Amino acid sequence: MEDKSQYGRMLKKENLRNTSHRQSILEALEASKEPVSAETLYLTLREKGISISMSTVYRALDVLAEKNIIVKTDFTDNNKSLFEIKREEHRHHLVCVKCRSVIPVMECPFHEYARALERQFGFSITGHKLEMYGYCRKCSESMDKSGNAP
Amino acid sequence: MEDKSQYGRMLKKENLRNTSHRQSILEALEASKEPVSAETLYLTLREKGISISMSTVYRALDVLAEKNIIVKTDFTDNNKSLFEIKREEHRHHLVCVKCRSVIPVMECPFHEYARALERQFGFSITGHKLEMYGYCRKCSESMDKSGNAP
DNA sequence: GTGCAAATGCGAATCAGTCGCATTAAGGAG
DNA sequence: CTCCTTAATGCGACTGATTCGCATTTGCAC
Ligand SMILES: [Zn+2]
Ligand SMILES: [Zn+2]
Ligand SMILES: [Zn+2]
Ligand SMILES: [Zn+2]
């Protein structure tokens, strides 16, 4: 999103007050290339000189996720939740199980599959999450060299 | 898996000792129709009269997941990990965000997609997880009646 | 401006999961 | 079968992410 009033409108539409902290959080998420944890976000904001508390960060993230303005993701492993702006494009992720790097992927081949399942189970699908695990190029190469099979 | 010696072999193959607790855990997971949390599993075992501690449950689940004998899954929301036996068939899940019921789904349409991504990113995919969120038949119906849109 | 509910800060509390260490028991060698 | 090594277990303390209660502040409708 481009300008701040954009966020104001999104918040108002969801009956959320347009507070400076929510603005800052949305801007920071917008600026981030990849999903961030609550703590990372908190530290980023502090570095920018914004005085905010962890509880506020958590509460804002929760309500924004609930209202579908941001997306909450849990990659296994470090049991920390990650958050990212909901961009118009829906994304999936390739997660390297070795170095933990995350590659976002744009394409989603999912729509027909979803419709078929809805018919089959009478289930109304509102969203989905696809995460793929494996080894990134760098890690597979380093393992090839060291002889450790993935 | 059918008989217990099967588990013994699987464990041995991974250099894990074939302990009675691991047997019990694998049997309980085998018997369960859906993924269970460590705590649920613990309670199930206690009810069966098996004396075991939570640490053992957690440790066993960890090592079994690491060795790829069971699968660890994190659905968001209650931030508890769930575990299930790795059946020969790979599954996805439909998770009802209202009543939390889980419907396992057999079909996986992702193989070609996965191959394409591997080529595109030089990423070696070893597994993936797809979770779909929405409302089960019962919950959509009850909401239709009450006038609450999903 | 005024008033009120929503949002925030702070610290305490919760709670899934982990760890250290002493004890038990698999399972291989003889 | 017995002994020995070492993995596995139990127990309780601990951790670290997230949540909660409550007093205070702030957005915003009128
Ligand atoms: Zn990597
Ligand atoms: Zn998708
Ligand atoms: Zn339901
Ligand atoms: Zn699949």
Side-chain angles (χ1 to χ4, degrees):
Chain A
M1 302 302 135
E2 317 67 35
D3 65 317
K4 315 195 172 186
S5 66
Q6 185 67 27
Y7 294 134
R9 263 174 264 134
M10 295 171 73
L11 293 169
K12 188 168 294 180
K13 198 174 73 172
E14 299 294 346
N15 273 77
L16 296 176
R17 287 188 182 171
N18 177 21
T19 67
S20 63
H21 284 157
R22 287 178 180 157
Q23 289 270 349
S24 310
I25 287 174
L26 288 169
E27 283 167 30
L29 290 178
E30 180 69 43
S32 170
K33 276 297 184 201
E34 31 171 66
V36 294
S37 67
E39 194 184 6
T40 304
L41 179 56
Y42 170 76
L43 294 173
T44 306
L45 294 173
R46 305 292 292 203
E47 271 169 33
K48 288 209 265 178
I50 296 165
S51 163
I52 190 173
S53 76
M54 277 299 288
S55 344
T56 301
V57 172
Y58 275 111
R59 279 191 281 230
L61 290 172
D62 273 359
V63 71
L64 293 172
E66 192 180 307
K67 298 299 190 177
N68 227 28
I69 295 171
I70 67 176
V71 181
K72 180 177 183 175
T73 312
D74 296 89
F75 297 138
T76 58
D77 248 55
N78 60 354
N79 83 331
K80 272 177 160 177
S81 297
L82 302 181
F83 300 83
E84 62 187 317
I85 273 281
K86 180 135 183 186
R87 304 175 196 272
E88 55 299 335
E89 332 86 43
H90 154 95
R91 296 180 178 193
H92 297 159
H93 294 100
L94 293 166
V95 183
C96 179
V97 297
K98 187 126 187 289
C99 71
R100 296 270 108 203
S101 63
V102 178
I103 302 174
V105 174
M106 246 47 147
E107 299 111 275
C108 176
F110 182 71
H111 286 80
E112 297 165 53
Y113 180 58
R115 295 308 142 228
L117 292 176
E118 292 195 316
R119 281 192 299 275
Q120 181 176 356
F121 293 103
F123 194 102
S124 160
I125 296 176
T126 58
H128 69 269
K129 199 185 325 169
L130 173 63
E131 283 143 30
M132 285 154 284
Y133 299 93
Y135 296 87
C136 71
R137 176 173 284 146
K138 210 159 49 167
C139 289
S140 345
E141 281 168 4
S142 74
M143 282 187 305
D144 285 351
K145 274 182 217 124
S146 73
N148 283 320
Chain B
M1 305 298 138
E2 318 65 34
D3 67 316
K4 314 192 173 187
S5 66
Q6 184 64 30
Y7 294 133
R9 261 174 263 134
M10 294 169 74
L11 292 169
K12 187 168 294 178
K13 199 174 73 174
E14 298 292 347
N15 274 76
L16 296 176
R17 289 186 182 174
N18 177 21
T19 68
S20 63
H21 284 158
R22 286 177 182 161
Q23 289 272 348
S24 311
I25 287 174
L26 288 168
E27 284 167 30
L29 290 177
E30 179 69 42
S32 170
K33 277 298 184 197
E34 31 171 70
V36 295
S37 68
E39 194 185 5
T40 303
L41 179 56
Y42 171 76
L43 293 174
T44 305
L45 294 173
R46 305 293 292 203
E47 271 169 32
K48 288 211 265 179
I50 295 164
S51 164
I52 191 172
S53 76
M54 276 300 288
S55 342
T56 301
V57 172
Y58 276 112
R59 280 192 279 230
L61 290 172
D62 274 358
V63 72
L64 292 172
E66 192 180 307
K67 297 300 189 177
N68 227 30
I69 296 171
I70 67 177
V71 181
K72 179 176 183 177
T73 312
D74 297 272
F75 298 139
T76 58
D77 248 56
N78 61 354
N79 82 331
K80 274 176 158 178
S81 296
L82 301 181
F83 300 84
E84 61 187 316
I85 274 282
K86 180 134 181 187
R87 306 175 196 272
E88 53 300 338
E89 333 86 40
H90 156 93
R91 297 179 176 191
H92 298 159
H93 294 101
L94 294 167
V95 183
C96 179
V97 297
K98 186 123 186 288
C99 71
R100 295 270 108 204
S101 63
V102 178
I103 301 174
V105 175
M106 244 51 143
E107 300 112 274
C108 176
F110 283 110
H111 287 80
E112 294 167 53
Y113 179 58
R115 294 309 140 227
L117 291 176
E118 290 195 318
R119 281 193 300 275
Q120 181 176 356
F121 293 103
F123 193 102
S124 160
I125 296 176
T126 59
H128 68 266
K129 200 185 326 166
L130 173 63
E131 284 142 31
M132 288 155 283
Y133 299 93
Y135 296 88
C136 72
R137 177 172 283 145
K138 209 157 51 165
C139 289
S140 342
E141 282 169 5
S142 73
M143 281 187 305
D144 286 351
K145 276 185 215 118
S146 73
N148 282 321

